[in-house]
Amino acid sequence: MTTTLIDPWPAPRVEAPVDAVVSLPGSKSLTNRALVLAALADGPSVVRRALRSRDTLLMATALTTLGATVDTSGDDWSVTPGQLTGGGSVDCGLAGTVMRFVPPVAALASGDVLFDGDPHMHNRPIGEVLTALRGLGVEISDDDRGALPFAVHGAGAVRGGTVVIDASASSQFVSALLLAGARYEQGVDVRHDGKQVPSLPHVEMTIAMLRQRGVVVDDFDANRWLVAPGPISAVNCEIEPDLSNAAPFLALAAVTGGTVTIRDWPLQTTQPGDELREILARMGCRVELVDAGLRVTGPDALQGIDIDLRDVGELTPAIAALCALAETPSHLRGIAHIRGHETDRLAALATELSNLGADVDELPDGLAIRPAPLRGGVFRTYADHRMAHAAVIIGAAVDGVLVENVGTTAKTFPGFAEFWSGLL
């Protein structure tokens, strides 16, 4: 049964320390990369414990549109590659991975593939990927806008070769080209020219998954990634829990002085969300890897933090919410690139936290947050699931917080609001 949520949704206030054990859905980042590689592989494979969310279902539909068969009926999704064909349309929704990872695959199809998405997606950067594909011999029609909507005119093959891009706005620009590069006639040699690439752990995740499938990747030189041409082996894989989605739940322990355990936390992972362990420890939490998973116990008083979040920008909304509840000042740096995420997250966080009484300065590449008494009110989410995470964290510690469009969390965690309420 589907529950109809009030909008704005009243975030549950927590009056006592929580004590909870949480099992998280699978990682969106791992699921969508695994689906792309499975669709390009040399045989059928299974993506076990795939995340079932709007973003991953959009990816499955996109790859099906291009000729693969993706069976999403169970918890384990089977993928059978097919002849890549054009003539269809891809709905990117609000999924940056679909908008950026699928065009390099569509370039291998025979025929035209149209791309569009939700209105918010028309402002997200994609131009570097399209320019790179043109440099590799692919015809693109976008009216020189470098944004949705656009069309990829596939010719059945891609020459490949060397391409220079500026990936300072998103590491997904690099991953997009690497994922399909082995299927290009000359492979792909991606060279970055610009400011530091953000979220580099996501590129490392892509490389690790390519190597698991027998693809030769040379990343010895900084800002250069070379994928050799060749087959992509069909590999069955199991998706880890989404560690970035752990942020609001672990934050519950931090703000209530309680204990939250995330089941099945991997001992080794390429997910950037693993950095939550160090961040929460620096803010005063006790952090332990135990048999059940990761256990976090909150402090008597939460401490602020001065930290560069360049590699884990997706965690910024949750960390900013914690900083607004801390008893000492915080400075979050290195995250200018998150202005190009689902919304301008720096501007959105500064606005919404300030509206609830927080003392926040929006900086060119981050936020400065000082202790201040918070109050209730409406927290807008801008169709951004991570903004909703920030809102529920504040709501757990402050009376009367109302979350606008909490349903946007379905992007990576369907049923989040019901799950959150049930947990509390």
Side-chain angles (χ1 to χ4, degrees):
M1 183 178 71
T2 301
T3 301
T4 300
L5 297 171
I6 298 170
D7 192 12
W9 180 73
R13 174 76 159 88
V14 183
E15 302 290 351
V18 299
D19 186 2
V21 178
V22 177
S23 295
L24 292 175
S27 162
K28 178 201 71 175
S29 296
L30 289 170
T31 299
N32 274 356
R33 283 167 171 79
L35 290 174
V36 170
L37 291 171
L40 292 172
D42 58 6
S45 59
V46 178
V47 180
R48 298 193 179 99
R49 297 180 63 181
L51 169 66
R52 181 181 298 278
S53 73
R54 188 185 183 208
D55 275 21
T56 58
L57 290 170
L58 284 169
M59 179 64 82
T61 301
L63 296 171
T64 300
T65 297
L66 294 178
T69 301
V70 185
D71 182 354
T72 63
S73 58
D75 292 337
D76 302 334
W77 294 5
S78 60
V79 183
T80 303
Q83 181 68 39
L84 294 174
T85 57
S89 298
V90 170
D91 177 8
C92 301
L94 286 169
T97 50
V98 177
M99 179 178 69
R100 293 164 181 156
F101 293 177
V102 178
V105 178
L108 291 161
S110 299
D112 299 343
V113 182
L114 306 179
F115 288 80
D116 205 349
D118 290 7
H120 278 278
M121 286 293 280
H122 289 196
N123 297 321
R124 294 195 70 182
I126 180 64
E128 286 293 319
V129 175
L130 302 184
T131 300
L133 289 174
R134 288 189 180 102
L136 297 173
V138 181
E139 185 181 351
I140 308 283
S141 296
D142 67 341
D143 296 328
D144 297 322
R145 289 175 293 100
L148 289 171
F150 59 83
V152 175
H153 306 290
V158 177
R159 182 186 68 240
T162 300
V163 63
V164 180
I165 65 171
D166 180 355
S168 58
S170 175
S171 67
Q172 288 182 0
F173 297 167
V174 177
S175 289
L177 298 167
L178 302 187
L179 286 167
R183 291 286 305 273
Y184 295 173
E185 294 171 356
Q186 300 175 21
V188 69
D189 183 351
V190 181
R191 306 182 187 193
H192 164 65
D193 183 12
K195 296 179 181 179
Q196 185 175 348
V197 179
S199 303
L200 272 174
H202 278 112
V203 177
E204 294 163 4
M205 174 190 291
T206 299
I207 292 170
M209 295 180 74
L210 284 164
R211 287 173 173 161
Q212 288 165 2
R213 290 155 178 81
V215 177
V216 177
V217 185
D218 181 350
D219 62 340
F220 183 78
D221 295 331
N223 295 323
R224 182 184 179 188
W225 302 268
L226 178 62
V227 175
I232 298 173
S233 299
V235 172
N236 297 334
C237 65
E238 184 165 322
I239 301 300
E240 299 171 359
D242 192 321
L243 305 189
S244 295
N245 266 342
F249 299 99
L250 296 178
L252 271 181
V255 302
T256 69
T259 298
V260 171
T261 301
I262 305 295
R263 289 189 186 276
D264 303 320
W265 196 279
L267 296 179
Q268 291 185 322
T269 182
T270 56
Q271 290 191 66
D274 193 44
E275 290 298 312
L276 282 167
R277 294 191 293 144
E278 178 183 349
I279 293 169
L280 291 170
R282 288 178 58 183
M283 298 188 79
C285 298
R286 186 167 77 248
V287 180
E288 307 165 278
L289 280 170
V290 296
D291 289 343
L294 180 71
R295 183 168 64 202
V296 171
T297 302
D300 293 333
L302 197 62
Q303 301 301 306
I305 191 170
D306 185 336
I307 189 170
D308 188 326
L309 294 175
R310 183 183 309 274
D311 284 343
V312 289
E314 66 203 57
L315 300 180
T316 301
I319 301 306
L322 287 176
C323 292
L325 295 165
E327 67 172 13
T328 58
S330 298
H331 183 191
L332 309 182
R333 297 175 283 106
I335 42 179
H337 63 284
I338 72 172
R339 294 185 184 279
H341 282 193
E342 281 81 343
T343 188
D344 180 339
R345 283 180 174 165
L346 292 182
L349 286 166
T351 298
E352 299 309 314
L353 291 173
S354 295
N355 286 344
L356 299 187
D359 184 359
V360 183
D361 286 337
E362 179 187 344
L363 308 174
D365 77 332
L367 298 168
I369 304 173
R370 293 166 292 275
L374 302 185
R375 57 180 178 269
V378 176
F379 193 107
R380 294 178 299 162
T381 60
Y382 307 84
D384 185 341
H385 59 140
R386 304 294 182 198
M387 289 294 293
H389 290 173
V392 298
I393 293 168
I394 298 292
V398 177
D399 290 326
V401 174
L402 302 172
V403 186
E404 177 260 342
N405 188 20
V406 72
T408 193
T409 50
K411 177 180 173 68
T412 55
F413 196 140
F416 173 86
E418 297 90 342
F419 186 90
W420 184 264
S421 296
L423 186 69
L424 302 182

